């Protein structure tokens, strides 16, 4: 089935550092989403992007919908310990495919105080 | 308001037994999705319900998997004759429109 390539697979950073992760796809999506998952929990939506080229911020998080509609990145500025978790990108085609999400493999973020 | 809830939170079963997993979506949400997450992996789409339309079953891995949604609300995912490779976290999500999906906490299934 469809897959997204998400990188890096894991990151170990110092508190206060900035973080960047990205996703690429061979398919076009009309929506890109970024989720965070804490242990034992379901994913929680961080940012949703609906237009090619769109750049959206949510606090210390910034994400962009690539102009080709085949990629997206997420940046986290000035990381803090509670940023620890697994971050997933997801692409969505809204329409006749019903809106199901195609997920990347995840980026596991560790923040050292 | 209440979010998506799932039950049980954990399920241990023996190979060959049937299991039923339940999802209570957010009230009023017309769309309901099931995903599976294997250890250390991203989420894999299983099935999608939208209103009264026929469900999109394209992600179900085998005919041992089935799901239903009664009255446009609660959904049950059934796995018959469970196998060890069915061990995973099964996540349910709901949405008001086919855009923002809100996930439940998942059911952790272990098949021995």
């Amino acid at each position: 089935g469809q897959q997204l390539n998400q990188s890096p697979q894991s990151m170990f950073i110092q508190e206060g550092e900035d973080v960047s992760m990205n996703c690429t796809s061979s398919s076009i999506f009309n929506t890109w989403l970024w989720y965070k998952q804490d242990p034992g929990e379901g994913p929680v939506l961080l940012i949703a992007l609906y237009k090619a080229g769109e750049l959206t911020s949510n606090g210390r998080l910034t994400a962009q919908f690539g102009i080709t509609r085949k990629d997206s990145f997420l940046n986290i500025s000035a990381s803090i310990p509670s940023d620890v978790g697994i971050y997933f990108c997801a692409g969505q085609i809204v329409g006749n495919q019903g809106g199901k999400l195609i997920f990347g493999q995840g980026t596991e973020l560790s923040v050292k105080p | 308001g209440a979010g998506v809830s799932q039950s049980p939170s954990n399920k241990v079963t023996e190979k060959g037994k049937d299991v039923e997993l339940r999802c209570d979506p957010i009230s009023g949400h017309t769309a309901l999705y099931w995903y599976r997450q294997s250890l250390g992996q991203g989420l894999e789409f299983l099935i999608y319900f939208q209103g009264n339309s026929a469900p999109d079953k394209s992600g179900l891995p085998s005919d041992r998997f089935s799901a239903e949604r009664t009255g446009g609300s609660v959904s049950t995912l059934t796995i018959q004759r469970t196998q060890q490779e069915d061990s995973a976290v099964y996540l349910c999500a709901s949405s008001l429109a086919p855009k923002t999906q809100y996930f439940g906490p998942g059911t952790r299934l272990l098949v021995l």
Side-chain angles (χ1 to χ4, degrees):
Chain A
Q2 279 179 297
Q3 281 196 334
L4 299 184
N5 295 314
Q6 183 172 350
S7 64
Q9 194 171 11
S10 61
M11 301 183 75
F12 298 86
I13 62 168
Q14 198 78 29
E15 182 177 1
E17 289 183 358
D18 297 345
V19 171
S20 184
M21 58 192 80
N22 69 84
C23 271
T24 60
S25 170
S26 56
S27 304
I28 288 173
F29 293 106
N30 55 25
T31 300
W32 279 92
L33 305 147
W34 285 92
Y35 284 86
K36 183 190 178 205
Q37 186 176 30
D38 292 326
E41 302 291 330
V44 174
L45 182 66
L46 298 175
I47 291 182
L49 302 156
Y50 301 112
K51 291 182 186 176
E54 179 181 354
L55 183 72
T56 297
S57 292
N58 178 8
R60 293 178 297 105
L61 278 60
T62 301
Q64 183 157 32
F65 190 146
I67 199 75
T68 64
R69 296 166 63 191
K70 292 183 178 181
D71 62 302
S72 177
F73 72 75
L74 174 70
N75 288 340
I76 305 173
S77 62
S79 58
I80 59 177
S82 62
D83 290 335
V84 166
I86 303 178
Y87 292 78
F88 290 100
C89 62
Q92 186 181 39
I93 300 175
V94 179
N96 59 10
Q97 290 193 31
K100 67 184 180 187
L101 297 177
I102 308 298
F103 281 83
Q105 303 95 325
T107 295
E108 184 168 9
L109 178 63
S110 301
V111 180
K112 190 175 177 182
Chain B
V4 177
S5 60
Q6 293 186 244
S7 62
S9 53
N10 293 281
K11 177 71 176 178
V12 181
T13 190
E14 293 179 349
K15 178 181 172 181
K17 294 282 179 72
D18 297 352
V19 294
E20 282 190 355
L21 313 179
R22 177 187 168 108
C23 172
D24 284 86
I26 294 172
S27 178
H29 278 194
T30 55
L32 187 148
Y33 305 79
W34 283 97
Y35 295 86
R36 177 170 71 174
Q37 185 176 28
S38 300
L39 188 63
Q41 298 295 315
L43 283 72
E44 172 193 6
F45 168 77
L46 296 177
I47 188 169
Y48 159 64
F49 296 90
Q50 171 62 57
N52 295 321
S53 302
D56 175 358
K57 304 179 183 179
S58 60
L60 294 178
S62 78
D63 59 7
R64 296 186 296 104
F65 287 72
S66 64
E68 62 177 23
R69 189 177 185 194
T70 53
S73 181
V74 171
S75 177
T76 302
L77 177 69
T78 301
I79 309 174
Q80 295 178 309
R81 305 181 302 282
T82 52
Q83 303 293 313
Q84 289 181 330
E85 62 262 28
D86 298 336
S87 297
V89 178
Y90 289 83
L91 290 151
C92 174
S94 72
S95 68
L96 183 58
K99 283 195 172 182
T100 304
Q101 295 179 24
Y102 296 90
F103 284 84
T107 293
R108 280 141 197 84
L109 175 66
L110 177 62
V111 182
L112 301 176

